[in-house]
Amino acid sequence: STTVTPSATFHPNLLFGLSRPDLKIISSDNHLFHIHRGVLLRSSENNFADLLPEATQDGTIHIPEVGLILNVIFTTIYGIKLADFYPLDTLISAINLFPHYGVQPKAYIWPAASLYEAVRYQTPLAPFQVYALASRFDLEELAVAASPHLLNFRLEGITDEMADLVRPKYLLRLFHLHSSRKDALKELLSERLEAHPPTASCNYSTYDRLCRAWVLAAACLLWDADANISTATIQSALLSLQDGVKCKSCRRIIVARVKSIVIQWSEMKVRCSVCFASSCSSCCSRPSERSFCPCLLFSMPLSSMFSFSLISSTCPMYCITFHHCIDLFVPPLHMSRT
């Protein structure tokens, strides 16, 4: 006879309400789970892939999935906290099987849910895969959580196979995320340097040459810049202009301008954590401005995404905590797209 390995969590004495398990589910690698039929009926829309009616007289069902995958599924539908050792690939594989077994991912993957947190914690390891997963099941909060980790993702590296994994509206928003960030940086760099009163050693002609050098340095910076260019790179590229400048006033102007750019670019990377989900009614006090909150980008219709003006740099009440949600889909600048 084949030896089975009993589950430490789903054992014969596991109580659901006052009842004990009435099903024995055996995985393809011979892991045994004692499960309540009522839990599966409540959680599944198709009798758990129509396997429940096939149970033997003693309530045994063989399921062609490995034990680790089934453990994720059963732990999730029972509302038990997931252990920390699950690899991201296992979590994604399990979630992809939810619809097959009649389980709706959106019912179990939301902020603060155990499975959501387990995936979000490992998002930096494979942000595109997590973003693709979020798009597949329209998990907006998870897509928002994955978006900061996609800023240094090279869009030109997306193959046809990778694009097929992401729903069109989410793929469009990923491209918009990158283009809006680059446009924001372009706008920051396009402002002309401040001029100081002419002196005997530094007149308008000198200032004009400095401005041309600034434009050239900015163009070189933008040529290779991605949506996640670091402030150190910006500083290094622009502060190098000081090397050929003898005028102390011009040097101070360069330093002040670079400092301003770096501060604004850094502040662009923080977004609302009060309204973690795609609704901002909890932290935006003025209804007329709620549609401009960055956190609402995922709920904006596509037709309006390319024609909007961001009125305020953050939510109208300015979100005061930042450690939960970092939403980078709209930079905190006044912009208009046509």
Side-chain angles (χ1 to χ4, degrees):
S1 61
T2 304
T3 302
V4 296
T5 304
S7 168
T9 303
F10 300 97
H11 49 79
N13 296 319
L14 175 67
L15 293 178
F16 181 73
L18 297 177
S19 63
R20 296 182 184 275
D22 52 357
L23 289 176
K24 299 175 184 177
I25 295 181
I26 301 177
S27 67
S28 61
D29 55 351
N30 295 314
H31 283 79
L32 173 63
F33 301 86
H34 291 84
I35 302 295
H36 299 81
R37 185 187 299 265
V39 173
L40 296 188
L41 289 173
R42 181 196 64 181
S43 307
S44 173
E45 299 175 350
N46 63 1
N47 285 321
F48 214 68
D50 293 322
L51 292 172
L52 296 185
E54 297 181 5
T56 61
Q57 190 171 4
D58 65 345
T60 301
I61 301 174
H62 291 267
I63 295 184
E65 312 293 348
V66 298
L68 207 57
I69 296 291
L70 289 180
N71 201 54
V72 171
I73 296 175
F74 294 147
T75 300
T76 299
I77 63 180
Y78 267 84
I80 301 172
K81 180 176 173 57
L82 279 168
D84 297 330
F85 59 80
Y86 290 101
L88 181 59
D89 288 344
T90 299
L91 296 175
I92 292 177
S93 297
I95 294 169
N96 283 330
L97 285 171
F98 275 26
H100 174 72
Y101 292 105
V103 180
Q104 292 298 324
K106 293 189 77 169
Y108 297 95
I109 306 174
W110 39 271
S114 179
L115 183 54
Y116 173 93
E117 293 298 334
V119 173
R120 187 178 69 90
Y121 178 74
Q122 299 186 65
T123 294
L125 301 177
F128 187 83
Q129 285 82 345
V130 173
Y131 189 79
L133 175 74
S135 78
R136 190 175 306 121
F137 301 116
D138 201 24
L139 306 172
E140 295 185 0
E141 294 89 349
L142 187 59
V144 169
S147 64
H149 305 288
L150 289 167
L151 284 177
N152 57 0
F153 187 82
R154 308 297 295 187
L155 297 182
E156 61 270 22
I158 297 179
T159 63
D160 292 342
E161 292 76 15
M162 294 171 68
D164 288 340
L165 297 175
V166 185
R167 292 174 60 189
K169 73 172 185 177
Y170 282 82
L171 190 60
L172 179 61
R173 285 164 179 171
L174 177 58
F175 276 83
H176 178 69
L177 163 63
H178 280 244
S179 64
S180 64
R181 292 276 297 178
K182 291 179 181 179
D183 287 347
L185 179 61
K186 182 179 180 180
E187 185 169 331
L188 283 175
L189 296 173
S190 64
E191 185 177 338
R192 193 174 178 85
L193 286 174
E194 181 184 351
H196 64 79
T199 63
S201 59
C202 186
N203 52 29
Y204 181 80
S205 177
T206 306
Y207 168 73
D208 189 53
R209 288 197 300 272
L210 177 60
C211 287
R212 289 201 300 271
W214 174 271
V215 171
L216 179 60
C220 292
L221 183 63
L222 287 168
W223 182 263
D224 294 321
D226 57 30
N228 197 35
I229 184 173
S230 68
T231 55
T233 302
I234 295 173
Q235 284 180 297
S236 176
L238 299 180
L239 289 179
S240 62
L241 292 175
Q242 294 182 96
D243 297 342
V245 177
K246 296 180 179 180
C247 175
K248 292 182 178 180
S249 296
C250 289
R251 292 170 69 92
R252 283 195 296 268
I253 288 172
I254 293 173
V255 171
R257 185 78 184 91
V258 172
K259 181 180 179 181
S260 174
I261 291 172
V262 166
I263 290 174
Q264 291 183 72
W265 185 248
S266 299
E267 289 178 348
M268 245 176 248
K269 297 183 179 181
V270 181
R271 274 291 170 246
C272 177
S273 67
V274 175
C275 43
F276 187 90
S278 59
S279 172
C280 199
S281 59
S282 61
C283 69
C284 291
S285 60
R286 286 168 283 184
S288 63
E289 294 186 2
R290 286 178 187 168
S291 60
F292 298 109
C293 175
C295 300
L296 282 178
L297 182 66
F298 257 97
S299 60
M300 290 172 62
L302 293 179
S303 58
S304 65
M305 285 183 61
F306 294 99
S307 178
F308 66 89
S309 295
L310 188 60
I311 302 303
S312 58
S313 61
T314 59
C315 301
M317 288 183 65
Y318 196 89
C319 302
I320 56 175
T321 56
F322 306 111
H323 61 284
H324 287 300
C325 171
I326 305 176
D327 179 6
L328 298 168
F329 281 87
V330 183
L333 290 174
H334 178 79
M335 297 191 304
S336 293
R337 286 188 177 276
T338 57

